[in-house]
Amino acid sequence: MFGSDLKDKVAVITGAASGIGLAVAKCLAAEGAKTCLVDIQEDALEKAVEEINDSGGKAGSIRADLGLESDIESLKRRVDEGYGAADILINNAGLQIVSSIEEFPVDQWDRLINVMLRGAFLCTQNFMPGMAEKGWGRIINIASIHSIVASPFKSAYVSAKHGLIGLTKTAALEAAEKGITVNAISPAYVRTPLVERQIESQAKLHSIPEEQVVKDIMLKPMPQKELIEPEEIGETVLFLCSPAARHINGHNLVIDGGWTIT
């Protein structure tokens, strides 16, 4: 289908040990891409790679801390040596820290911005030249509904995701004549291990069923009261990598069940 042109394309996916990153890696691998899964969680990475390879895909892994410039430079060298120049870059690595602005630890603010925004910039900076040499590339930044709307106590996360959209647009303009497209995907709540833990915690806190947490608390602003499945993000990535999307560039593709209609 959409990803039929991905045979032997080299895809680098950050934050790929679980959740959205792993789902994206599985979708790309299923369409023939050679996937390099990047994460800081080494044990989880090994399990994810084994899962993809056991299903007939091609996957390997590189442990890297996306908050460290030296790790990103090492990642680029190792990808070139082990896979060849990357054709596809999925900037997905992220974390969440919840705190009021008054009490937000500055070191934690820096950590989140370094991983989610600076890390995405450095990955783009390192991998884009190789794509330009080939005359083809796809860079997809996994943003969030919080690239459009804000939530209290998530100032660093919201700032990073808003910044990621600015990076997406700027990179798209600079890469447009090089055969590279740069886009973002902004989903609302996705059914990931992190979100599942949040649901469980909220259910205990409010003494209500988990289903009610999803409908009445987490998805209160979302007309479609359903969590998004990680595979939906993977399929969207496949579309953006396909010939059908070659003129989609610099966009923030929102998957929010109607959250931002008004």
Side-chain angles (χ1 to χ4, degrees), residues 234-261:
E235 294 289 344
T236 304
V237 166
L238 285 183
F239 170 67
L240 290 174
C241 291
S242 75
R246 69 190 185 96
H247 286 131
I248 299 176
N249 195 22
H251 282 272
N252 183 14
L253 186 53
V254 179
I255 304 175
D256 68 350
W259 189 319
T260 56
I261 286 174

Side-chain angles (χ1 to χ4, degrees), residues 166 211-212 220 227:
E211 295 80 5
Q212 191 176 346
K220 185 177 180 180
L227 291 173

Side-chain angles (χ1 to χ4, degrees), residues 50-108:
E50 183 179 355
E51 189 176 345
I52 291 173
N53 288 332
D54 285 349
S55 66
K58 298 177 182 177
S61 67
I62 297 176
R63 183 194 179 280
D65 183 341
L66 276 297
L68 299 176
E69 185 173 359
S70 58
D71 273 27
I72 294 174
E73 291 172 348
S74 174
L75 170 65
K76 168 62 165 56
R77 288 194 301 270
R78 293 175 66 185
V79 168
D80 285 349
E81 293 168 0
Y83 300 82
D87 300 285
I88 298 166
L89 170 64
I90 311 297
N91 285 313
N92 172 68
L95 65 157
Q96 179 63 279
I97 298 165
V98 179
S99 175
S100 67
I101 290 174
E102 293 93 332
E103 298 178 355
F104 213 111
V106 175
D107 62 332
Q108 294 301 306

